[in-house]
Amino acid sequence: PAPKAEVWLPDTAAVKLPMEEYAGIPFNTTGPEAIEKFKCTQYDLTYSCKAKNGEKDEDLWLIYNEAGRMVLMKKELGYYKQEVADAIIERFAIKYGLDYKPSDGQESAFASGVRKTKTYVFGGGQVAFQIGRSLNNRNELMLVYFFPEDVGSTFAKSVMN
């Protein structure tokens, strides 16, 4: 039998909002600091990092804008599984508070393939859980985004419109 892939689930410990960091990496970390302090590998404006979050190592992508500011941390969770997605949404709602979930119409549009993503927003926009279609539209993938406060509120507004 194939080895069972480990499922990532967030904890439900309370956090102070607005968040200033995730997994010990502050949102104001510069690219050179990401390489030096967190041993990240740079790919243009994106950095691949292994972060220690409590007892576990997490793979994170740090994404920077052209001005060199970190605008997003992304965690890829692999293929969509309903029970895992439900558990993540429930835990994020406890931890950060649920600000937005897709409407019935958006759910329907996603199910029919008209929409490529469906997004849940937490913590004033600083955390998002997204289910999106792969490039070939055959698979659904799960992603988690962590944003600096101002970027997150802008992202949340764009999702809600």
Side-chain angles (χ1 to χ4, degrees), residues 16-54:
K16 182 178 146 290
L17 294 172
M19 296 178 349
E20 295 177 4
E21 56 93 22
Y22 176 75
I25 302 176
F27 288 120
N28 63 1
T29 300
T30 65
E33 287 173 335
I35 294 168
E36 185 182 319
K37 289 183 183 174
F38 303 105
K39 309 295 182 240
C40 301
T41 303
Q42 181 177 2
Y43 304 91
D44 197 24
L45 296 175
T46 303
Y47 295 72
S48 170
C49 308
K50 280 214 181 301
K52 195 82 167 156
N53 197 6

mmCIF file of all heavy atoms in Angstrom, residues 16-54:
data_model
loop_
_atom_site.group_PDB
_atom_site.id
_atom_site.type_symbol
_atom_site.label_atom_id
_atom_site.label_comp_id
_atom_site.label_asym_id
_atom_site.label_seq_id
_atom_site.Cartn_x
_atom_site.Cartn_y
_atom_site.Cartn_z
ATOM 1 N N LYS A 16 -3.064 37.016 18.172
ATOM 2 C CA LYS A 16 -3.322 38.449 18.251
ATOM 3 C C LYS A 16 -3.409 38.983 16.821
ATOM 4 O O LYS A 16 -2.541 38.721 16.005
ATOM 5 C CB LYS A 16 -2.170 39.115 19.010
ATOM 6 C CG LYS A 16 -2.316 40.601 19.222
ATOM 7 C CD LYS A 16 -1.127 41.102 20.030
ATOM 8 C CE LYS A 16 -0.704 42.484 19.648
ATOM 9 N NZ LYS A 16 -0.088 42.657 18.343
ATOM 10 N N LEU A 17 -4.501 39.664 16.543
ATOM 11 C CA LEU A 17 -4.649 40.299 15.240
ATOM 12 C C LEU A 17 -4.452 41.794 15.394
ATOM 13 O O LEU A 17 -4.810 42.340 16.417
ATOM 14 C CB LEU A 17 -6.034 39.999 14.665
ATOM 15 C CG LEU A 17 -6.302 38.538 14.314
ATOM 16 C CD1 LEU A 17 -7.766 38.342 13.930
ATOM 17 C CD2 LEU A 17 -5.408 38.070 13.189
ATOM 18 N N PRO A 18 -3.899 42.495 14.437
ATOM 19 C CA PRO A 18 -3.366 41.958 13.195
ATOM 20 C C PRO A 18 -2.095 41.136 13.427
ATOM 21 O O PRO A 18 -1.302 41.440 14.322
ATOM 22 C CB PRO A 18 -3.072 43.208 12.362
ATOM 23 C CG PRO A 18 -2.853 44.299 13.354
ATOM 24 C CD PRO A 18 -3.718 43.955 14.539
ATOM 25 N N MET A 19 -1.929 40.105 12.613
ATOM 26 C CA MET A 19 -0.734 39.259 12.699
ATOM 27 C C MET A 19 0.447 40.013 12.103
ATOM 28 O O MET A 19 0.304 40.718 11.112
ATOM 29 C CB MET A 19 -0.929 37.966 11.894
ATOM 30 C CG MET A 19 -2.024 37.085 12.435
ATOM 31 S SD MET A 19 -2.346 35.566 11.487
ATOM 32 C CE MET A 19 -1.461 35.694 9.981
ATOM 33 N N GLU A 20 1.605 39.840 12.728
ATOM 34 C CA GLU A 20 2.820 40.473 12.222
ATOM 35 C C GLU A 20 3.765 39.449 11.619
ATOM 36 O O GLU A 20 4.761 39.816 10.996
ATOM 37 C CB GLU A 20 3.497 41.250 13.341
ATOM 38 C CG GLU A 20 2.626 42.410 13.807
ATOM 39 C CD GLU A 20 3.211 43.188 14.975
ATOM 40 O OE1 GLU A 20 4.351 42.883 15.399
ATOM 41 O OE2 GLU A 20 2.525 44.098 15.449
ATOM 42 N N GLU A 21 3.436 38.157 11.796
ATOM 43 C CA GLU A 21 4.288 37.098 11.269
ATOM 44 C C GLU A 21 3.487 35.810 11.176
ATOM 45 O O GLU A 21 2.388 35.717 11.726
ATOM 46 C CB GLU A 21 5.510 36.894 12.165
ATOM 47 C CG GLU A 21 5.188 36.594 13.632
ATOM 48 C CD GLU A 21 5.102 35.106 13.982
ATOM 49 O OE1 GLU A 21 5.663 34.261 13.266
ATOM 50 O OE2 GLU A 21 4.432 34.802 14.979
ATOM 51 N N TYR A 22 4.063 34.838 10.478
ATOM 52 C CA TYR A 22 3.516 33.487 10.466
ATOM 53 C C TYR A 22 4.702 32.526 10.532
ATOM 54 O O TYR A 22 5.715 32.742 9.861
ATOM 55 C CB TYR A 22 2.671 33.212 9.217
ATOM 56 C CG TYR A 22 2.210 31.773 9.186
ATOM 57 C CD1 TYR A 22 1.187 31.351 10.032
ATOM 58 C CD2 TYR A 22 2.848 30.830 8.400
ATOM 59 C CE1 TYR A 22 0.794 30.014 10.065
ATOM 60 C CE2 TYR A 22 2.459 29.498 8.423
ATOM 61 C CZ TYR A 22 1.438 29.094 9.256
ATOM 62 O OH TYR A 22 1.070 27.779 9.303
ATOM 63 N N ALA A 23 4.561 31.487 11.338
ATOM 64 C CA ALA A 23 5.593 30.447 11.493
ATOM 65 C C ALA A 23 6.959 31.050 11.829
ATOM 66 O O ALA A 23 7.990 30.561 11.386
ATOM 67 C CB ALA A 23 5.679 29.576 10.238
ATOM 68 N N GLY A 24 6.932 32.132 12.603
ATOM 69 C CA GLY A 24 8.177 32.757 13.028
ATOM 70 C C GLY A 24 8.829 33.645 11.987
ATOM 71 O O GLY A 24 9.898 34.190 12.215
ATOM 72 N N ILE A 25 8.199 33.811 10.834
ATOM 73 C CA ILE A 25 8.749 34.679 9.783
ATOM 74 C C ILE A 25 7.927 35.967 9.750
ATOM 75 O O ILE A 25 6.750 35.947 9.386
ATOM 76 C CB ILE A 25 8.709 34.000 8.393
ATOM 77 C CG1 ILE A 25 9.492 32.684 8.422
ATOM 78 C CG2 ILE A 25 9.259 34.946 7.322
ATOM 79 C CD1 ILE A 25 9.424 31.888 7.125
ATOM 80 N N PRO A 26 8.533 37.089 10.166
ATOM 81 C CA PRO A 26 7.803 38.361 10.145
ATOM 82 C C PRO A 26 7.486 38.796 8.711
ATOM 83 O O PRO A 26 8.264 38.540 7.786
ATOM 84 C CB PRO A 26 8.783 39.356 10.789
ATOM 85 C CG PRO A 26 9.791 38.519 11.506
ATOM 86 C CD PRO A 26 9.869 37.225 10.750
ATOM 87 N N PHE A 27 6.339 39.464 8.534
ATOM 88 C CA PHE A 27 5.949 39.942 7.216
ATOM 89 C C PHE A 27 6.903 41.016 6.695
ATOM 90 O O PHE A 27 6.928 41.285 5.499
ATOM 91 C CB PHE A 27 4.516 40.492 7.227
ATOM 92 C CG PHE A 27 3.469 39.425 7.355
ATOM 93 C CD1 PHE A 27 2.597 39.418 8.427
ATOM 94 C CD2 PHE A 27 3.348 38.418 6.410
ATOM 95 C CE1 PHE A 27 1.622 38.438 8.545
ATOM 96 C CE2 PHE A 27 2.381 37.431 6.520
ATOM 97 C CZ PHE A 27 1.516 37.436 7.599
ATOM 98 N N ASN A 28 7.687 41.646 7.580
ATOM 99 C CA ASN A 28 8.613 42.683 7.121
ATOM 100 C C ASN A 28 10.005 42.117 6.793
ATOM 101 O O ASN A 28 10.949 42.868 6.603
ATOM 102 C CB ASN A 28 8.711 43.829 8.135
ATOM 103 C CG ASN A 28 9.284 43.391 9.473
ATOM 104 O OD1 ASN A 28 9.633 42.221 9.674
ATOM 105 N ND2 ASN A 28 9.393 44.328 10.400
ATOM 106 N N THR A 29 10.121 40.800 6.690
ATOM 107 C CA THR A 29 11.389 40.166 6.323
ATOM 108 C C THR A 29 11.751 40.531 4.883
ATOM 109 O O THR A 29 10.920 40.405 3.986
ATOM 110 C CB THR A 29 11.271 38.624 6.452
ATOM 111 O OG1 THR A 29 10.947 38.302 7.802
ATOM 112 C CG2 THR A 29 12.558 37.929 6.057
ATOM 113 N N THR A 30 12.986 40.972 4.680
ATOM 114 C CA THR A 30 13.448 41.276 3.320
ATOM 115 C C THR A 30 13.911 39.986 2.652
ATOM 116 O O THR A 30 14.136 38.967 3.315
ATOM 117 C CB THR A 30 14.633 42.261 3.357
ATOM 118 O OG1 THR A 30 15.742 41.620 3.995
ATOM 119 C CG2 THR A 30 14.277 43.556 4.084
ATOM 120 N N GLY A 31 14.067 40.041 1.341
ATOM 121 C CA GLY A 31 14.562 38.888 0.604
ATOM 122 C C GLY A 31 15.912 38.389 1.118
ATOM 123 O O GLY A 31 16.073 37.201 1.408
ATOM 124 N N PRO A 32 16.901 39.290 1.254
ATOM 125 C CA PRO A 32 18.201 38.842 1.783
ATOM 126 C C PRO A 32 18.093 38.243 3.194
ATOM 127 O O PRO A 32 18.772 37.262 3.507
ATOM 128 C CB PRO A 32 19.044 40.124 1.782
ATOM 129 C CG PRO A 32 18.439 40.964 0.682
ATOM 130 C CD PRO A 32 16.963 40.668 0.736
ATOM 131 N N GLU A 33 17.212 38.805 4.033
ATOM 132 C CA GLU A 33 17.012 38.237 5.371
ATOM 133 C C GLU A 33 16.390 36.846 5.287
ATOM 134 O O GLU A 33 16.718 35.967 6.081
ATOM 135 C CB GLU A 33 16.098 39.139 6.217
ATOM 136 C CG GLU A 33 16.746 40.411 6.688
ATOM 137 C CD GLU A 33 15.756 41.353 7.374
ATOM 138 O OE1 GLU A 33 14.532 41.293 7.096
ATOM 139 O OE2 GLU A 33 16.229 42.165 8.175
ATOM 140 N N ALA A 34 15.474 36.640 4.327
ATOM 141 C CA ALA A 34 14.850 35.327 4.157
ATOM 142 C C ALA A 34 15.919 34.270 3.859
ATOM 143 O O ALA A 34 15.878 33.163 4.390
ATOM 144 C CB ALA A 34 13.807 35.370 3.039
ATOM 145 N N ILE A 35 16.874 34.638 3.027
ATOM 146 C CA ILE A 35 17.959 33.710 2.679
ATOM 147 C C ILE A 35 18.863 33.478 3.896
ATOM 148 O O ILE A 35 19.167 32.340 4.238
ATOM 149 C CB ILE A 35 18.778 34.258 1.489
ATOM 150 C CG1 ILE A 35 17.905 34.292 0.233
ATOM 151 C CG2 ILE A 35 20.038 33.424 1.263
ATOM 152 C CD1 ILE A 35 18.510 35.074 -0.925
ATOM 153 N N GLU A 36 19.263 34.578 4.537
ATOM 154 C CA GLU A 36 20.227 34.500 5.636
ATOM 155 C C GLU A 36 19.629 33.880 6.903
ATOM 156 O O GLU A 36 20.171 32.936 7.454
ATOM 157 C CB GLU A 36 20.746 35.906 5.937
ATOM 158 C CG GLU A 36 21.847 35.938 6.984
ATOM 159 C CD GLU A 36 22.289 37.359 7.272
ATOM 160 O OE1 GLU A 36 22.404 38.156 6.314
ATOM 161 O OE2 GLU A 36 22.497 37.670 8.455
ATOM 162 N N LYS A 37 18.490 34.401 7.361
ATOM 163 C CA LYS A 37 17.912 33.969 8.643
ATOM 164 C C LYS A 37 17.126 32.674 8.544
ATOM 165 O O LYS A 37 17.083 31.898 9.487
ATOM 166 C CB LYS A 37 16.977 35.047 9.198
ATOM 167 C CG LYS A 37 17.646 36.281 9.714
ATOM 168 C CD LYS A 37 16.590 37.216 10.301
ATOM 169 C CE LYS A 37 17.188 38.509 10.781
ATOM 170 N NZ LYS A 37 16.149 39.450 11.202
ATOM 171 N N PHE A 38 16.442 32.471 7.414
ATOM 172 C CA PHE A 38 15.511 31.342 7.316
ATOM 173 C C PHE A 38 15.938 30.301 6.286
ATOM 174 O O PHE A 38 15.196 29.376 6.003
ATOM 175 C CB PHE A 38 14.093 31.860 7.038
ATOM 176 C CG PHE A 38 13.608 32.828 8.078
ATOM 177 C CD1 PHE A 38 13.544 34.178 7.815
ATOM 178 C CD2 PHE A 38 13.244 32.375 9.346
ATOM 179 C CE1 PHE A 38 13.117 35.082 8.793
ATOM 180 C CE2 PHE A 38 12.817 33.266 10.321
ATOM 181 C CZ PHE A 38 12.753 34.621 10.050
ATOM 182 N N LYS A 39 17.136 30.497 5.709
ATOM 183 C CA LYS A 39 17.712 29.527 4.754
ATOM 184 C C LYS A 39 16.788 29.262 3.571
ATOM 185 O O LYS A 39 16.660 28.138 3.091
ATOM 186 C CB LYS A 39 18.065 28.206 5.449
ATOM 187 C CG LYS A 39 18.906 28.349 6.700
ATOM 188 C CD LYS A 39 20.281 28.905 6.387
ATOM 189 C CE LYS A 39 21.144 29.016 7.624
ATOM 190 N NZ LYS A 39 21.577 30.371 7.892
ATOM 191 N N CYS A 40 16.115 30.310 3.108
ATOM 192 C CA CYS A 40 15.211 30.179 1.967
ATOM 193 C C CYS A 40 16.013 30.159 0.668
ATOM 194 O O CYS A 40 17.130 30.656 0.616
ATOM 195 C CB CYS A 40 14.223 31.352 1.937
ATOM 196 S SG CYS A 40 13.211 31.483 3.428
ATOM 197 N N THR A 41 15.414 29.621 -0.369
ATOM 198 C CA THR A 41 16.018 29.602 -1.696
ATOM 199 C C THR A 41 15.239 30.559 -2.576
ATOM 200 O O THR A 41 14.010 30.501 -2.635
ATOM 201 C CB THR A 41 15.944 28.178 -2.292
ATOM 202 O OG1 THR A 41 16.589 27.281 -1.387
ATOM 203 C CG2 THR A 41 16.624 28.109 -3.649
ATOM 204 N N GLN A 42 15.971 31.441 -3.266
ATOM 205 C CA GLN A 42 15.313 32.467 -4.073
ATOM 206 C C GLN A 42 15.064 31.982 -5.500
ATOM 207 O O GLN A 42 15.920 31.374 -6.119
ATOM 208 C CB GLN A 42 16.178 33.731 -4.119
ATOM 209 C CG GLN A 42 15.548 34.859 -4.910
ATOM 210 C CD GLN A 42 16.374 36.123 -4.902
ATOM 211 O OE1 GLN A 42 17.457 36.181 -4.342
ATOM 212 N NE2 GLN A 42 15.854 37.154 -5.539
ATOM 213 N N TYR A 43 13.856 32.280 -5.992
ATOM 214 C CA TYR A 43 13.474 32.087 -7.383
ATOM 215 C C TYR A 43 12.838 33.388 -7.829
ATOM 216 O O TYR A 43 11.637 33.584 -7.627
ATOM 217 C CB TYR A 43 12.456 30.944 -7.544
ATOM 218 C CG TYR A 43 12.922 29.626 -6.973
ATOM 219 C CD1 TYR A 43 12.634 29.278 -5.660
ATOM 220 C CD2 TYR A 43 13.661 28.737 -7.748
ATOM 221 C CE1 TYR A 43 13.066 28.070 -5.128
ATOM 222 C CE2 TYR A 43 14.099 27.526 -7.225
ATOM 223 C CZ TYR A 43 13.801 27.201 -5.918
ATOM 224 O OH TYR A 43 14.229 26.006 -5.396
ATOM 225 N N ASP A 44 13.618 34.290 -8.374
ATOM 226 C CA ASP A 44 13.147 35.603 -8.792
ATOM 227 C C ASP A 44 12.517 36.329 -7.588
ATOM 228 O O ASP A 44 13.209 36.566 -6.606
ATOM 229 C CB ASP A 44 12.194 35.484 -9.975
ATOM 230 C CG ASP A 44 11.998 36.817 -10.718
ATOM 231 O OD1 ASP A 44 12.899 37.678 -10.617
ATOM 232 O OD2 ASP A 44 10.959 37.001 -11.369
ATOM 233 N N LEU A 45 11.208 36.629 -7.607
ATOM 234 C CA LEU A 45 10.573 37.357 -6.501
ATOM 235 C C LEU A 45 9.901 36.413 -5.501
ATOM 236 O O LEU A 45 9.147 36.843 -4.631
ATOM 237 C CB LEU A 45 9.525 38.341 -7.039
ATOM 238 C CG LEU A 45 10.081 39.464 -7.920
ATOM 239 C CD1 LEU A 45 8.956 40.311 -8.506
ATOM 240 C CD2 LEU A 45 11.049 40.338 -7.135
ATOM 241 N N THR A 46 10.188 35.118 -5.611
ATOM 242 C CA THR A 46 9.593 34.113 -4.747
ATOM 243 C C THR A 46 10.706 33.360 -4.023
ATOM 244 O O THR A 46 11.745 33.081 -4.608
ATOM 245 C CB THR A 46 8.751 33.125 -5.593
ATOM 246 O OG1 THR A 46 7.770 33.869 -6.304
ATOM 247 C CG2 THR A 46 8.073 32.092 -4.723
ATOM 248 N N TYR A 47 10.463 33.055 -2.758
ATOM 249 C CA TYR A 47 11.449 32.339 -1.950
ATOM 250 C C TYR A 47 10.804 31.090 -1.366
ATOM 251 O O TYR A 47 9.720 31.156 -0.804
ATOM 252 C CB TYR A 47 11.948 33.225 -0.805
ATOM 253 C CG TYR A 47 12.712 34.439 -1.265
ATOM 254 C CD1 TYR A 47 12.063 35.508 -1.870
ATOM 255 C CD2 TYR A 47 14.087 34.516 -1.097
ATOM 256 C CE1 TYR A 47 12.764 36.625 -2.303
ATOM 257 C CE2 TYR A 47 14.793 35.638 -1.517
ATOM 258 C CZ TYR A 47 14.126 36.688 -2.124
ATOM 259 O OH TYR A 47 14.823 37.788 -2.551
ATOM 260 N N SER A 48 11.484 29.974 -1.502
ATOM 261 C CA SER A 48 11.015 28.714 -0.937
ATOM 262 C C SER A 48 11.691 28.533 0.414
ATOM 263 O O SER A 48 12.918 28.602 0.512
ATOM 264 C CB SER A 48 11.400 27.566 -1.878
ATOM 265 O OG SER A 48 11.151 26.333 -1.251
ATOM 266 N N CYS A 49 10.881 28.293 1.464
ATOM 267 C CA CYS A 49 11.415 28.215 2.815
ATOM 268 C C CYS A 49 10.868 27.009 3.565
ATOM 269 O O CYS A 49 9.732 26.597 3.327
ATOM 270 C CB CYS A 49 11.019 29.457 3.615
ATOM 271 S SG CYS A 49 11.415 31.016 2.818
ATOM 272 N N LYS A 50 11.667 26.504 4.481
ATOM 273 C CA LYS A 50 11.197 25.536 5.470
ATOM 274 C C LYS A 50 11.177 26.290 6.786
ATOM 275 O O LYS A 50 12.190 26.792 7.232
ATOM 276 C CB LYS A 50 12.159 24.355 5.576
ATOM 277 C CG LYS A 50 11.981 23.332 4.495
ATOM 278 C CD LYS A 50 12.261 21.945 5.060
ATOM 279 C CE LYS A 50 12.130 20.863 4.038
ATOM 280 N NZ LYS A 50 10.857 20.746 3.404
ATOM 281 N N ALA A 51 9.996 26.392 7.386
ATOM 282 C CA ALA A 51 9.854 27.128 8.640
ATOM 283 C C ALA A 51 9.466 26.160 9.746
ATOM 284 O O ALA A 51 8.737 25.201 9.508
ATOM 285 C CB ALA A 51 8.797 28.213 8.492
ATOM 286 N N LYS A 52 9.955 26.417 10.934
ATOM 287 C CA LYS A 52 9.579 25.622 12.097
ATOM 288 C C LYS A 52 8.343 26.280 12.701
ATOM 289 O O LYS A 52 8.374 27.435 13.078
ATOM 290 C CB LYS A 52 10.733 25.626 13.109
ATOM 291 C CG LYS A 52 10.593 24.581 14.160
ATOM 292 C CD LYS A 52 11.087 23.261 13.617
ATOM 293 C CE LYS A 52 11.256 22.249 14.725
ATOM 294 N NZ LYS A 52 11.172 20.893 14.204
ATOM 295 N N ASN A 53 7.226 25.536 12.740
ATOM 296 C CA ASN A 53 6.002 26.077 13.308
ATOM 297 C C ASN A 53 5.600 25.140 14.441
ATOM 298 O O ASN A 53 5.008 24.100 14.208
ATOM 299 C CB ASN A 53 4.916 26.192 12.241
ATOM 300 C CG ASN A 53 3.793 27.112 12.665
ATOM 301 O OD1 ASN A 53 3.865 27.767 13.714
ATOM 302 N ND2 ASN A 53 2.754 27.178 11.873
ATOM 303 N N GLY A 54 5.963 25.527 15.649
ATOM 304 C CA GLY A 54 5.754 24.627 16.784
ATOM 305 C C GLY A 54 6.693 23.443 16.633
ATOM 306 O O GLY A 54 7.896 23.614 16.513
#
